[in-house]
Amino acid sequence: GDSVTQMEGPVTLSEEAFLTINCTYTATGYPSLFWYVQYPGEGLQLLLKATKADDKGSNKGFEATYRKETTSFHLEKGSVQVSDSAVYFCALSGTGNNRKLIWGLGTSLAVNP
Amino acid sequence: DVKVTQSSRYLVKRTGEKVFLECVQDMDHENMFWYRQDPGLGLRLIYFSYDVKMKEKGDIPEGYSVSREKKERFSLILESASTNQTSMYLCASTLQGLPYEQYFGPGTRLTVT
């Protein structure tokens, strides 16, 4: 079945460092891909999305490109801030029209000043 | 802005009690979801609903039931709470036209003693 694999955390970086969080997927068909973020004490919120191959999603300085050839959707940011400390979830849309997301396990990011 | 609210942020219940978790969204979303979030296990879908009085089982429905009598409200019921249901419970909602862009509530941390 469809699945998402994220790099394990926690990831610890210093402020202004470059961030990459790896996400690869297995899917039949042509899913849409998503990154969600969960700040401490809050629910998840959509960070960015891409709906077809070679699309780049971007928001708040974060970017991810839908790579069909490598089945990847890695999250990147050029210069992280302390306020980016959160848990990041990669997800893909389920097959068919079942409205469900297939979730990765999440990667915790801690940014130190 | 879409707002998804959950009835409690923290809840402590005893084993065997019947527990109701309430979720309300204010943007006329058709789809609503209940997840539980556990360390190392990510988000797991318990139940979802795509219309009033309609429900579908998610990946881990055992020990839970749901109710959706009004479009804006989706309730999760633990018929007889057990200690292994201690968890963070997250509610989410989506528009029919954007079924994968989920809006989450802040979560209810339930402890069953």
Side-chain angles (χ1 to χ4, degrees):
Chain A
D2 295 355
S3 65
V4 175
T5 303
Q6 284 183 241
M7 63 186 284
E8 286 191 30
V11 174
T12 303
L13 296 173
S14 296
E15 210 165 19
E16 299 183 5
F18 185 87
L19 169 71
T20 300
I21 299 179
N22 290 338
C23 171
T24 57
Y25 67 91
T26 302
T28 54
Y30 304 95
S32 295
L33 300 172
F34 304 85
W35 277 102
Y36 280 78
V37 58
Q38 185 179 31
Y39 297 105
E42 299 183 13
L44 283 73
Q45 55 186 272
L46 179 64
L47 180 60
L48 54 84
K49 68 176 183 179
T51 56
K52 61 183 187 299
D54 300 325
D55 266 4
K56 178 185 281 188
S58 61
N59 187 23
K60 299 183 181 181
F62 291 88
E63 293 183 340
T65 301
Y66 188 159
R67 302 276 189 208
K68 195 166 187 303
E69 64 276 10
T70 55
T71 61
S72 65
F73 192 55
H74 304 321
L75 183 68
E76 296 181 335
K77 187 175 186 184
S79 175
V80 293
Q81 306 300 313
V82 171
S83 57
D84 294 325
S85 298
V87 181
Y88 293 82
F89 292 88
C90 185
L92 65 85
S93 55
T95 53
N97 188 28
N98 65 12
R99 308 171 188 85
K100 294 196 292 184
L101 283 168
I102 309 298
W103 296 92
L105 294 183
T107 303
S108 176
L109 169 67
V111 180
N112 298 320
Chain B
D1 270 359
V2 176
K3 182 156 274 189
V4 180
T5 56
Q6 296 184 228
S7 48
S8 306
R9 291 301 299 267
Y10 300 94
L11 207 53
V12 180
K13 295 292 182 181
R14 293 196 181 274
T15 301
E17 280 193 78
K18 190 169 186 175
V19 181
F20 292 86
L21 302 182
E22 304 284 338
C23 175
V24 177
Q25 49 90 8
D26 67 357
M27 283 299 291
D28 206 34
H29 283 179
E30 292 85 359
N31 306 315
M32 297 187 74
F33 304 79
W34 274 107
Y35 294 94
R36 62 178 284 176
Q37 182 179 20
D38 300 289
L41 296 177
L43 273 73
R44 292 181 291 168
L45 182 64
I46 304 171
Y47 268 97
F48 69 103
S49 167
Y50 52 88
D51 201 352
V52 175
K53 297 192 186 296
M54 305 300 288
K55 61 185 179 185
E56 286 196 24
K57 293 180 180 179
D59 301 316
I60 52 162
E62 297 79 16
Y64 303 93
S65 61
V66 290
S67 172
R68 191 157 181 213
E69 297 296 319
K70 293 186 177 181
K71 190 175 186 180
E72 67 271 18
R73 187 179 298 269
F74 192 35
S75 302
L76 180 69
I77 303 154
L78 288 65
E79 295 289 343
S80 176
S82 64
T83 55
N84 63 13
Q85 292 178 310
T86 291
S87 186
M88 171 69 82
Y89 290 87
L90 292 168
C91 175
S93 70
T94 69
L95 269 174
Q96 195 76 306
L98 293 169
Y100 304 110
E101 296 188 18
Q102 299 194 359
Y103 292 83
F104 282 81
T108 296
R109 182 162 296 281
L110 172 67
T111 302
V112 183
T113 61

PDB file of all heavy atoms in Angstrom, chain A residues 27-32 51 66 68 93:
ATOM      1  N   ALA A  27       3.717   5.037  -3.777  1.00  0.00           N
ATOM      2  CA  ALA A  27       2.311   5.263  -4.101  1.00  0.00           C
ATOM      3  C   ALA A  27       1.985   4.719  -5.472  1.00  0.00           C
ATOM      4  O   ALA A  27       2.816   4.731  -6.374  1.00  0.00           O
ATOM      5  CB  ALA A  27       1.986   6.755  -4.055  1.00  0.00           C
ATOM      6  N   THR A  28       0.764   4.260  -5.609  1.00  0.00           N
ATOM      7  CA  THR A  28       0.228   3.958  -6.935  1.00  0.00           C
ATOM      8  C   THR A  28      -0.471   5.223  -7.424  1.00  0.00           C
ATOM      9  O   THR A  28      -0.943   6.042  -6.631  1.00  0.00           O
ATOM     10  CB  THR A  28      -0.782   2.809  -6.856  1.00  0.00           C
ATOM     11  OG1 THR A  28      -1.772   3.142  -5.878  1.00  0.00           O
ATOM     12  CG2 THR A  28      -0.100   1.522  -6.443  1.00  0.00           C
ATOM     13  N   GLY A  29      -0.497   5.414  -8.687  1.00  0.00           N
ATOM     14  CA  GLY A  29      -1.152   6.604  -9.213  1.00  0.00           C
ATOM     15  C   GLY A  29      -0.311   7.852  -9.034  1.00  0.00           C
ATOM     16  O   GLY A  29       0.915   7.796  -8.901  1.00  0.00           O
ATOM     17  N   TYR A  30      -0.992   8.986  -8.954  1.00  0.00           N
ATOM     18  CA  TYR A  30      -0.311  10.286  -8.926  1.00  0.00           C
ATOM     19  C   TYR A  30      -0.828  11.105  -7.747  1.00  0.00           C
ATOM     20  O   TYR A  30      -1.701  11.946  -7.895  1.00  0.00           O
ATOM     21  CB  TYR A  30      -0.549  11.007 -10.257  1.00  0.00           C
ATOM     22  CG  TYR A  30      -0.108  10.180 -11.429  1.00  0.00           C
ATOM     23  CD1 TYR A  30      -1.006   9.379 -12.131  1.00  0.00           C
ATOM     24  CD2 TYR A  30       1.231  10.167 -11.815  1.00  0.00           C
ATOM     25  CE1 TYR A  30      -0.585   8.600 -13.190  1.00  0.00           C
ATOM     26  CE2 TYR A  30       1.655   9.389 -12.876  1.00  0.00           C
ATOM     27  CZ  TYR A  30       0.746   8.605 -13.564  1.00  0.00           C
ATOM     28  OH  TYR A  30       1.156   7.835 -14.612  1.00  0.00           O
ATOM     29  N   PRO A  31      -0.251  10.853  -6.572  1.00  0.00           N
ATOM     30  CA  PRO A  31      -0.757  11.539  -5.384  1.00  0.00           C
ATOM     31  C   PRO A  31      -0.324  12.995  -5.334  1.00  0.00           C
ATOM     32  O   PRO A  31       0.605  13.404  -6.036  1.00  0.00           O
ATOM     33  CB  PRO A  31      -0.094  10.766  -4.242  1.00  0.00           C
ATOM     34  CG  PRO A  31       1.200  10.295  -4.824  1.00  0.00           C
ATOM     35  CD  PRO A  31       0.880   9.967  -6.267  1.00  0.00           C
ATOM     36  N   SER A  32      -0.988  13.759  -4.513  1.00  0.00           N
ATOM     37  CA  SER A  32      -0.481  15.069  -4.106  1.00  0.00           C
ATOM     38  C   SER A  32       0.359  14.871  -2.849  1.00  0.00           C
ATOM     39  O   SER A  32       0.145  13.933  -2.089  1.00  0.00           O
ATOM     40  CB  SER A  32      -1.644  16.017  -3.812  1.00  0.00           C
ATOM     41  OG  SER A  32      -2.394  16.281  -4.971  1.00  0.00           O
ATOM     42  N   THR A  51       1.054  19.299  -6.198  1.00  0.00           N
ATOM     43  CA  THR A  51       0.014  18.403  -6.701  1.00  0.00           C
ATOM     44  C   THR A  51       0.454  17.563  -7.891  1.00  0.00           C
ATOM     45  O   THR A  51      -0.246  16.612  -8.256  1.00  0.00           O
ATOM     46  CB  THR A  51      -1.236  19.200  -7.086  1.00  0.00           C
ATOM     47  OG1 THR A  51      -0.852  20.194  -8.042  1.00  0.00           O
ATOM     48  CG2 THR A  51      -1.833  19.883  -5.868  1.00  0.00           C
ATOM     49  N   TYR A  66       8.391  18.179  -5.776  1.00  0.00           N
ATOM     50  CA  TYR A  66       7.819  16.856  -6.031  1.00  0.00           C
ATOM     51  C   TYR A  66       8.670  16.178  -7.102  1.00  0.00           C
ATOM     52  O   TYR A  66       8.627  16.527  -8.273  1.00  0.00           O
ATOM     53  CB  TYR A  66       6.387  17.075  -6.529  1.00  0.00           C
ATOM     54  CG  TYR A  66       5.486  15.880  -6.701  1.00  0.00           C
ATOM     55  CD1 TYR A  66       4.113  16.065  -6.721  1.00  0.00           C
ATOM     56  CD2 TYR A  66       5.958  14.598  -6.877  1.00  0.00           C
ATOM     57  CE1 TYR A  66       3.234  15.008  -6.893  1.00  0.00           C
ATOM     58  CE2 TYR A  66       5.103  13.532  -7.051  1.00  0.00           C
ATOM     59  CZ  TYR A  66       3.733  13.742  -7.057  1.00  0.00           C
ATOM     60  OH  TYR A  66       2.860  12.688  -7.233  1.00  0.00           O
ATOM     61  N   LYS A  68       9.241  12.865  -9.024  1.00  0.00           N
ATOM     62  CA  LYS A  68       8.651  11.559  -9.303  1.00  0.00           C
ATOM     63  C   LYS A  68       9.734  10.518  -9.537  1.00  0.00           C
ATOM     64  O   LYS A  68       9.595   9.358  -9.160  1.00  0.00           O
ATOM     65  CB  LYS A  68       7.719  11.675 -10.512  1.00  0.00           C
ATOM     66  CG  LYS A  68       6.772  10.504 -10.692  1.00  0.00           C
ATOM     67  CD  LYS A  68       5.684  10.831 -11.677  1.00  0.00           C
ATOM     68  CE  LYS A  68       4.629   9.738 -11.751  1.00  0.00           C
ATOM     69  NZ  LYS A  68       5.168   8.428 -12.080  1.00  0.00           N
ATOM     70  N   SER A  93      -1.656  12.163  -0.492  1.00  0.00           N
ATOM     71  CA  SER A  93      -3.087  11.898  -0.618  1.00  0.00           C
ATOM     72  C   SER A  93      -3.294  10.434  -0.955  1.00  0.00           C
ATOM     73  O   SER A  93      -2.578   9.856  -1.764  1.00  0.00           O
ATOM     74  CB  SER A  93      -3.708  12.780  -1.704  1.00  0.00           C
ATOM     75  OG  SER A  93      -3.030  12.606  -2.935  1.00  0.00           O
TER      76      SER A  93
END
